Amino acid sequence: MDFNRRTAMAAGLGAMAAACGGTARATAPGTVTVQGESAVRTNIPVVRDRRAAGGRYLGLRTAEKPPARTGWYATYTVRAPRAGVYTLTAVATAPVETPHTEAVASYLHLSVNDGPFTEIARSQPHWYEWRAAWGDLSELDLGAVELRNGTNTFTFRVTEPTVLDDTTAFVLALDRFTLRRQEGHPALRELSAPRHREGEPARLRLTLDGHATHVHRVRYEVGDHHGRRVATGLAAIAAGDVSTTVTLPALAPGHYRVTADGVTGRFACLPARPAVTGPAARFGVNVWASSLVPPSRLAEFASALRDMGAGWVRDGQSWPAAEPAPGDYDTGPHDRRTRTLRAHGLAVLDVLPPAPEWAMTDASLPLPADLRHAYRYARRLAAAAPEALQLSNEPDVDTTRSTGDAHAAFVKAAALGIRAAHEPCLVVLPGIAQTGPFQDLMLANDVVRYADAWAFHGYPDPTEPGEPRFPGAADEQHELARRHEADIPLWMTECGAFQKARPGTDLTPEQEIAQARYVVRSMVEGLAAGNDRQFWFAGPPLHDDGIYFGLLDRDFCPLPAYSGFAALTSLLGAARYTGPAPLLPDGVQGFVFDSGRGELVTVVWAERPVRLDRCGAGAAYDIMGRRLPAGRPVTASRDPLYLTSPAASPPPRVASPRALLRPRARLSPAEHIVLAQRFPARNVAPGKEDGDAPPPHGYRLGRRTRMTVDVYNFGDTARRVTVAARPMGGGWTVRAEQETRIRMPAGGRVGVNFTLLASSSVARRTDRRLAFRATLDGHSEVPASVALIHLR
């Protein structure tokens, strides 16, 4: 007899309800526990495991598609001791990674008493914080349900696959679920108001967690982002109903919090003028929808981002799951997400992730050993029609020993795959975390000519006291681009702030305002630094190891930063930076933008309050887009302000999205030849240590080392290629071990072997550049391969 049953019997609660193969038992007053394996009807297997409560559990893990009519399902009969509202908890697998396991499951749908199925669409912070149970299972809160006295039916259903390490599958492990009756319920469960624009009515919906047994009256209060009360009211939910809707007074643009009966809701009133949307927009957000957005929420989430003015979203998928075996593609779920995002007016920047295990060797990790796999996979991703494809994320600070030269060859191969697609998208260089030897080496391999945009990331120093400050990453990257004569736009594909969050509560009101300020200031300073696109990290609710990043709270309601983002994109319009604002008092920063609407918009802020004369300014708006009274001075503070004025001359014509997004000219036949240096695993580089490893950084060689230069022909015509090493000097000699003039079939790879010799004069642990060049058909120069080597 287990502990729960002994407790129930001691309390005199022996009530039980029959369930096929097991029992639903009362374990405390008003509490019923049901074993997962005791379903009365199911098409999910039962698995034995001594760690499970009954020695067995319901276990689903399959790539097989479920029956169209039922999905993968399990139906249970539960006898409730009394009618009422019950909380529902379960020992099961969570649909997102948690601190105690990386295992994930499909999102569950639930039907009670043959009612409609509803996805349990909680956010990542909600699942992230629940305790470990056993194995990969957690103790999960699945919400509240309303039960009738006596027999009730529960059906759990899975209809969407989830992304695992190396495949896409339908997954669920359910040990048991528990229902606990809530005294004093039904009670207020949710306060919500749909997004609306200034001038449209704000309709507040008040929802109970069950049907009201009598008239349920609720007094509510609405406050703005500073906590100032802007409305109060009394609502009545009629007996037998679960909700009612009331109309709020007209509201200015901004963020609002509504409270009643200990429940808090949030909503946004957006500026009347919509932002520039789609590919022409300057602003975007990171989403990683497969991990952070439940399937049933994706369309509404995409709509919320569009309304906020995020014309771009940065997304990605698992390559191992999308190609579990060579050429066996399973990109359907990701392609559907891409289509949903694009259908809501968002331009998609997709990210190419690390390669599958089957494609890698110990020496190539995290890249495919054969770059033709990268070529084919990138071409496949481009076929889903994202607007742009980024060729990996922060390779300079991953935990592998990959080097800049290897990654450069990977970038070239993937870029050529994209350009071979039926409708090529933009090619975006990897998102670099910080300047350093990895990026320097990648650029020395002439990758810029293969790309349409240069990408990097920038975060404030989390150890600095006070509110976050915009980092120097943008200035560093622009200087680096000028040094390499890179005539392509620069995109900051991640920027954000490290806000420490308390479990269960996320950000404090003070942190929420600090986040809203930094959203505006980082976007403004990024564009002022010359960035062509700015992407915030992140859009969805996201709690990572004590840090909260999202613009939405754990209930997918907007935070103040969401409204600040919406005001910024609405007011700046085309957001063409024209220069710093002149004649400002000391301590005030100002940035002037041409909105493309015949007006200039100056964004100002100051660390300490400073009064400003509005002479010459048209209108002034606060951080949330609320118009300030005319004819009065304004005060610059840490909250950015917007001052508008007529443009002195007609603004230049805004280029169409197609012109903004046209890929660069076709690459030459010589540029379709890619050289990649390949060393044995024993010679791999010493490692990056999160980007801060001291030198040496190159491959570790002995006095005599054999290596290979892989030559790829990604063109559609056979070619003659001649490979040669550039003289190294410094005591190093490179000797060819075979004929270096080779015939390259279309789509082929040929290895040319060389031996590297280090004389006694070579100093140990000192990096030196090893470069190979090639000519195509005896005359056209192939982009070189440049690596670092040292004598270990």
Side-chain angles (χ1 to χ4, degrees), residues 30-33 78 86-88 145 147 154 177-181:
T31 301
V32 179
T33 295
V78 178
Y86 288 72
T87 59
L88 174 61
V145 295
L147 301 183
F154 276 69
F177 63 92
T178 300
L179 296 154
R180 295 179 177 86
R181 191 175 186 280

Side-chain angles (χ1 to χ4, degrees), residues 693-705:
H697 299 106
Y699 298 101
R700 299 174 294 181
L701 308 187
R703 291 288 179 185
R704 179 187 181 93
T705 305

Side-chain angles (χ1 to χ4, degrees), residues 257-282:
R257 185 193 301 257
V258 56
T259 57
D261 293 353
V263 177
T264 299
R266 307 167 186 270
F267 66 93
C269 177
L270 303 172
R273 184 163 50 191
V276 174
T277 58
R282 307 290 301 278

